Each structure stands twice: as structure tokens, then as C-alpha cells.
Amino acid sequence: PNLLLGGLFSCAVVLVGLIAAATLGRDAWIRSFAGPASPRALVIGAAAGAAVLVVNVILLGLLGSLLGQDLWNGFEVPAAWPLVLIATAVLPALVEEWLCRGVLWTGLRRITSEKGTLVMSSILFAMLHGLGGGRLLELPTRFLAGIVFGLLRSKTESLRPGIAAHFVNNAIACFLK
């Protein structure tokens, strides 16, 4: 059921992105995909994704212990791990980065500064995860991830390092239980 919900949520996000891109116009549609990235930028993105996950696990562990909740119990390889990886790492990395750091980024840059775009797209990114069934405690950590993924977008002018970061982050997280 969670895989199905994740897939449906990704489809809904794509639909919202397509509507937003169409509203912004043809040039915005093209700019939403951003440019290519160097291999170095992709490696930096992947490392940033792993680093964000470590920070998020630490923060969630601290928040959980303050509230008397045990959020992490180790690692587990799901039986259907290839499907889990596609549903929780591949699709979200592609769809969410395109929506938040592609379409939304392009639209926000028309009305605000780079810093404003970074913060507002990160807030939406965090809220998307809250709407997708994430725990409330995860909103600050998702905002932090959004900031890191947005900085990658800003510094490289490409979605690809953010997609790499998002994929690595989610791929490792899907094995946490």
C-alpha cells in the first residue's frame, strides 16, 4: 500500500508541475530542466545527499528522544527492495527535484531573489513531505534537505546534482527501519 501511495503521490506532483509549467510558459518549461552537470558536481551531490541523511538521522534521533519516541531501529532490506528503491528513491528524486528546483524555482526567480527562491522552494519541499504522510518531526529535516538540494541547484545551475543528492538520501533511508 505504501508503494502504491508513493507512486500516486508522485503522479499527482507531476500533474501539478505540468500545470505550473504550462502556466509559466514555454521558456519556463525549458528552463525548468536546467542545464547539464559535470561529473564532479554529481559526486558532490551524491556526497551531500549522504551527509544530509546523516544529519537528519541525528536530528530526528535527538527530537525523538526528547519526545520519548524511538524513530530508528537499524537497517532492514525489504523483500521487494527493487520496487521500494524505485518508489522511494528514483521517482521522488526525479519528480520532486523537477517540481521544486525546476518548475517552482523558475517561477519564483521571476518574483524574488535567489535567496528567497531557495527558502520558499525549501519550505514547499518540506511541506510536500508533510502532505505525503511524513511525520511532523520530519518537516525541519526536510527543509534542511531542501536548502542543500537548492544550493546544489543554485551553484551548478543544474537539477542533476540535486537529483543525485536526493536519490542517495532516499536510497539509504529506504533501508532504515
Side-chain angles (χ1 to χ4, degrees):
N2 287 339
L3 291 178
L4 180 60
L5 287 176
L8 290 173
F9 188 71
S10 290
C11 289
V13 170
V14 167
L15 182 60
V16 168
L18 290 172
I19 292 167
T23 303
L24 291 170
R26 179 170 160 60
D27 64 322
W29 169 259
I30 293 166
R31 283 197 321 264
S32 75
F33 290 99
S38 69
R40 181 176 182 265
L42 295 174
V43 170
I44 290 170
V52 165
L53 180 70
V54 169
V55 170
N56 285 346
V57 167
I58 291 168
L59 288 175
L60 285 171
L62 291 172
L63 287 171
S65 67
L66 288 173
L67 298 173
Q69 297 178 3
D70 190 15
L71 298 176
W72 306 111
N73 297 315
F75 290 93
E76 179 180 12
V77 178
W81 69 265
L83 290 176
V84 170
L85 201 60
I86 290 168
T88 62
V90 175
L91 287 176
L94 293 170
V95 171
E96 293 172 11
E97 289 307 306
W98 171 70
L99 178 68
C100 293
R101 260 69 63 185
V103 176
L104 183 65
W105 190 277
T106 300
L108 287 171
R109 284 299 291 135
R110 292 180 176 184
I111 60 171
T112 190
S113 66
E114 186 96 6
K115 188 182 285 187
T117 297
L118 176 65
V119 170
M120 286 191 267
S121 66
S122 298
I123 289 170
L124 176 70
F125 180 75
M127 296 303 293
L128 275 173
H129 288 83
L131 295 173
R135 296 178 288 224
L136 189 59
L137 288 177
E138 294 177 359
L139 289 175
T141 62
R142 299 309 185 259
F143 175 75
L144 172 65
I147 291 288
V148 171
F149 301 161
L151 286 170
L152 289 166
R153 163 68 160 99
S154 177
K155 299 298 180 193
T156 66
E157 297 182 9
S158 175
L159 291 181
R160 293 173 189 161
I163 290 170
H166 199 149
F167 170 78
V168 167
N169 183 286
N170 287 13
I172 297 168
C174 78
F175 296 107
L176 294 175
K177 63 175 190 160

